[in-house]
Amino acid sequence: MDGRSEQATIVVRVDPISSVYDANHIGWRKQASTLSTSLSAANIGAVRKVGGSADGSKGTLDEVIIALGSAGAITAAVEIFRSWLSRDRSREIKLTIESEGKKTTIALNASSTGDSTVESIMLAALERNCGDG
């Protein structure tokens, strides 16, 4: 065990983006939906969809909010991001990581998920929330 008395979590807003499709295009909405379905199916933490305004449009685009509480959940989420992004080079994901009242925004694409930077940032945010200092 790692000595944590309570499970800390970080909240991550997951915003799928396409450089090809309009945010309200039905084909894009289906593609974006597969990301949230994959995150929910992985049992990595609480996953919920929220409606948000798509930039430059009148409609809404669902964003996904996940609460990650372990290094294993973070690793699993990053693997899901990698898999989803690798299926189409026009896809991107904007992550907004909330920890200790601070927000960090990271843009991911198929080539940027190959390194460990995203996972490292999320793990560091989780560690800050643990309070074992």
Side-chain angles (χ1 to χ4, degrees), residues 92-108:
E92 294 180 17
I93 299 173
K94 181 175 85 173
L95 299 178
T96 304
I97 303 163
E98 297 180 36
S99 168
E100 293 187 321
K102 297 176 185 171
K103 292 183 180 182
T104 303
T105 301
I106 305 168
L108 302 177

Side-chain angles (χ1 to χ4, degrees), residues 49-71:
K49 285 185 179 183
V50 295
S53 297
D55 290 342
S57 72
K58 297 177 186 171
T60 61
L61 179 65
D62 285 336
E63 291 178 318
V64 178
I65 308 270
I66 54 178
L68 300 171
S70 71

Side-chain angles (χ1 to χ4, degrees), residues 2-10 68-71 74 99-100 122-133:
D2 59 359
R4 294 179 188 154
S5 58
E6 300 216 6
Q7 184 171 353
T9 60
I10 58 170
L68 300 171
S70 71
I74 290 171
S99 168
E100 293 187 321
M122 290 173 33
L123 286 168
L126 181 64
E127 274 302 310
R128 283 194 306 268
N129 283 353
C130 288
D132 41 305

